[in-house]
Amino acid sequence: MTSAPSLSWEAESVAFAEHRESETCWIELARMLRPLVAVRLGDTRAECEDVLSETFLALLELRARGGYDPERAAVPVIARTIAERRCLDRLRHSYRHPTRSLDRVDPEAGPHPVDPTPSVERRVVEAAAREARREAFRIAFRELQRADRAYGSCRALAVFYRYRFRIEEDDYSFLIESRPDADLPGWGEVAAQLGVTEEAARQNGSRGLRALRALWRDHFGELTGEQSPLRP
Amino acid sequence: MAFARAASERFRALGPGARRGLPETLAFGTLISDLRLRNHLDCLQLAERAGLNPVYLLMLERGLLGPDEIPAMVVARLAVALGRRLSGLPLLPYAVDAEPEDTVDVTEGTTWLQPGLSTLVSWVSALLDASSPTAPPAIRLPDLELRMGGRRWWARRAHLTDAPVPIPSSDEYSWRLLRGRGGRSRDRWWLFAWAGEADTEQPATIEVELTMGTQRRVSVAGARGLLSFDGLDLADLGPLRFRVLRAPG
């Protein structure tokens, strides 16, 4: 068995602040954080590795902003705090947005109540409808991006960050109805992604949503309620 | 830890106070990361499916790359790996109306074609909708100039198709109907083009080598100047290289 290389975190933290950290620094950080993240998130390897890379990136961004001071805390202390926050964010997110794989079938889910084996025709029609919805959204979204480019605003991306989980699920019903916002990423999160203030993110987001509705109406007709093609 | 090292290098190169890439590349990275998790894939699995370096993929997902570092081919590979058509991705890593177009790079003896986004839209569609009658019957490529020993030729009306004969663009609708009757496999593709002398536009009986991804084919144009490269695997995505091996006279 090989023992872990000994590392002086005090010296390594100073080296990190001066952009000359050693390779061992990253190896040791990963070795230290991996069990912590695994305990917090459970045995989901994909998410654990994601949290690790997000943590490293956050550390590097902190340093790039000049926000890291080795006098105040050593690198592992900051890294641990960041990793724990990231785990919490993930857990909060997975609670609000439970995802399901399109590849795997849950054996405990039981048979589909309506149509256990949809016919080929039905599947083709559903797939075509889904593609049509995606393309329609993309057309309207691109037009909004084009307008943003002309006016120097960020309405399209504010809408994307705010509604991205619904967009990725092909659920565009947010264009026609105001559902409770509890499950949406907060404006603070949107602002952090866009690099603007929370207020600016909120303004861009609501203006973007209005503009998208208008663009959709111009291209594809009136937005209607229950029979809307915007639902998955 | 290769990602941490590469990201650290990137930040070092950008200098103090650096932010990550453009808003579009950052948003695209977030989208890819979300879709990957939605498909229960880790970064290594997606990188393997898309034939990309995992560190490159992580840098892309975290918005550390500029749009010029994300070729359209990479976006196409990711779309195929995630089972999404290019036209079904809500956003791309490029500024609107600045998406990469087909680029043809001609040097003495070799012509490179780097397919742009509009060409790759049909390419991705053809791969994802292999069994569907709605899949495009042909992928149109731009006209290509070929050079060797001071002589020049054109390869015009180039297209990739799963039919064993060239499909004129005016006949695409008929081919769709024909294919709708089903039964044909789409795992074998052909690349057809008409070679002609650059000055006279007369058919040229030249011998041309095509390299696409890891595949290499050679074709000799007949009296009509038709070049035909057979048995191509469309999934082996990569820039296309054409090389004139022999020219009579």
Side-chain angles (χ1 to χ4, degrees), chain A residues 13-25:
Chain A
S13 298
V14 174
F16 175 80
E18 293 168 358
H19 296 253
R20 49 177 187 80
E21 74 279 3
S22 70
E23 194 171 328
T24 324
C25 166

Side-chain angles (χ1 to χ4, degrees), chain A residues 52-194:
Chain A
L52 276 188
S53 61
E54 277 174 17
T55 304
F56 294 152
L57 194 57
L59 264 177
L60 291 167
E61 283 186 318
L62 181 73
R63 181 178 71 182
R65 286 199 306 268
Y68 177 67
D69 179 3
E71 299 276 309
R72 292 178 65 189
V75 170
V77 177
I78 306 274
R80 196 189 159 96
T81 311
I82 296 173
E84 282 184 338
R85 270 193 213 149
R86 289 282 187 269
C87 289
L88 265 177
D89 288 347
R90 293 254 164 180
L91 290 172
R92 207 175 292 140
H93 174 248
S94 60
Y95 175 73
R96 286 177 182 169
H97 306 276
T99 57
R100 58 196 156 81
S101 167
L102 299 175
D103 302 335
R104 295 176 192 175
V105 178
D106 181 1
E108 290 176 11
H112 195 286
V114 182
D115 190 356
T117 50
S119 63
V120 174
E121 288 83 359
R122 192 191 161 111
R123 272 185 286 151
V124 168
V125 168
E126 280 175 358
R130 191 178 56 233
E131 286 305 330
R133 270 201 309 275
R134 283 179 184 170
E135 286 186 31
F137 180 78
R138 169 126 191 262
I139 290 169
F141 191 79
R142 265 177 70 84
E143 210 146 305
L144 184 58
Q145 279 185 299
R146 201 170 280 132
D148 277 347
R149 201 171 154 210
Y151 299 119
S153 51
C154 56
R155 295 170 299 170
L157 291 182
V159 170
F160 169 73
Y161 283 119
R162 175 81 163 161
Y163 297 98
R164 68 183 218 256
F165 301 119
R166 294 193 189 163
I167 294 169
E168 287 157 9
E169 276 176 3
D170 302 313
D171 177 4
Y172 306 105
S173 56
F174 61 88
L175 289 174
I176 48 168
E177 61 191 14
S178 304
R179 269 199 277 165
D181 294 350
D183 64 331
L184 298 174
W187 288 114
E189 198 180 312
V190 176
Q193 297 275 19
L194 291 171

Side-chain angles (χ1 to χ4, degrees), chain A residues 19 21 23 45-46 50 53 57 61 64 90 101 134-135 138 142 145-146 149 161 164 168-169, chain B residues 4-5 8 12 17 20 27 34 36-38 40 42 62 84 86-87 89-90 92 96-97 99:
Chain A
H19 296 253
E21 74 279 3
E23 194 171 328
R45 198 177 135 236
D50 270 4
S53 61
L57 194 57
E61 283 186 318
R90 293 254 164 180
S101 167
R134 283 179 184 170
E135 286 186 31
R138 169 126 191 262
R142 265 177 70 84
Q145 279 185 299
R146 201 170 280 132
R149 201 171 154 210
Y161 283 119
R164 68 183 218 256
E168 287 157 9
E169 276 176 3
Chain B
R5 276 201 309 275
S8 179
R12 200 171 296 157
R20 285 190 259 168
D34 285 350
R36 171 169 67 73
L37 287 173
R38 204 167 274 280
H40 296 272
D42 64 31
R62 305 295 171 225
R84 290 246 174 177
L86 278 181
S87 52
L89 289 175
L92 295 166
V96 179
D97 301 328
E99 290 90 355

Side-chain angles (χ1 to χ4, degrees), chain B residues 5-237:
Chain B
R5 276 201 309 275
S8 179
E9 281 300 317
R10 173 55 59 116
F11 272 95
R12 200 171 296 157
L14 290 172
R19 282 186 58 78
R20 285 190 259 168
L22 282 183
E24 286 86 3
T25 53
L26 195 57
F28 181 74
T30 308
L31 174 73
I32 294 298
S33 170
D34 285 350
L35 293 177
R36 171 169 67 73
L37 287 173
R38 204 167 274 280
N39 282 286
H40 296 272
L41 294 170
D42 64 31
C43 204
L44 277 177
Q45 288 167 320
L46 179 59
E48 197 181 328
R49 271 197 196 185
L52 299 172
N53 181 319
V55 176
Y56 175 85
L57 178 59
L58 264 174
M59 304 262 291
L60 183 149
E61 283 191 359
R62 305 295 171 225
L64 285 169
L65 301 176
D68 52 331
E69 293 169 297
I70 309 174
M73 193 70 84
V74 166
V75 180
R77 281 166 183 248
L78 286 169
V80 172
L82 292 165
R84 290 246 174 177
R85 287 188 197 170
L86 278 181
S87 52
L89 289 175
L91 49 84
L92 295 166
Y94 315 107
V96 179
D97 301 328
E99 290 90 355
E101 292 173 2
D102 291 335
T103 52
V104 181
D105 184 20
V106 189
T107 55
E108 178 65 25
T110 308
T111 299
W112 281 98
L113 167 63
Q114 190 79 247
L117 216 60
S118 49
T119 300
L120 289 165
V121 166
S122 343
W123 199 308
V124 171
S125 252
L127 281 169
L128 290 181
D129 306 331
S131 57
S132 162
T134 59
I139 300 163
R140 303 283 159 194
L141 304 174
D143 288 350
L144 303 158
E145 188 188 338
L146 306 169
R147 286 187 205 159
M148 191 186 75
R151 295 177 64 190
R152 293 191 312 125
W153 300 270
W154 280 105
R156 297 197 191 276
R157 287 174 283 153
H159 61 282
L160 280 150
T161 175
D162 62 338
V165 290
I167 302 182
S169 46
S170 54
D171 281 357
E172 279 201 13
Y173 183 67
S174 321
W175 275 98
R176 263 179 214 263
L177 292 181
L178 195 65
R179 195 177 42 214
R181 296 176 182 222
R184 271 192 320 105
S185 120
R186 304 204 81 203
D187 48 11
R188 188 173 168 191
W189 285 72
W190 282 259
L191 191 150
F192 295 108
W194 275 267
E197 300 284 347
D199 307 328
T200 60
E201 294 282 339
Q202 290 299 310
T205 52
I206 51 176
E207 184 177 341
V208 179
E209 177 199 70
L210 162 73
T211 311
M212 183 176 110
T214 57
Q215 309 165 82
R216 185 178 161 271
R217 303 282 183 278
V218 174
S219 171
V220 182
R224 288 168 56 218
L226 179 65
L227 290 164
S228 160
F229 303 94
D230 179 9
L232 293 164
D233 176 9
L234 201 61
D236 192 359
L237 273 169

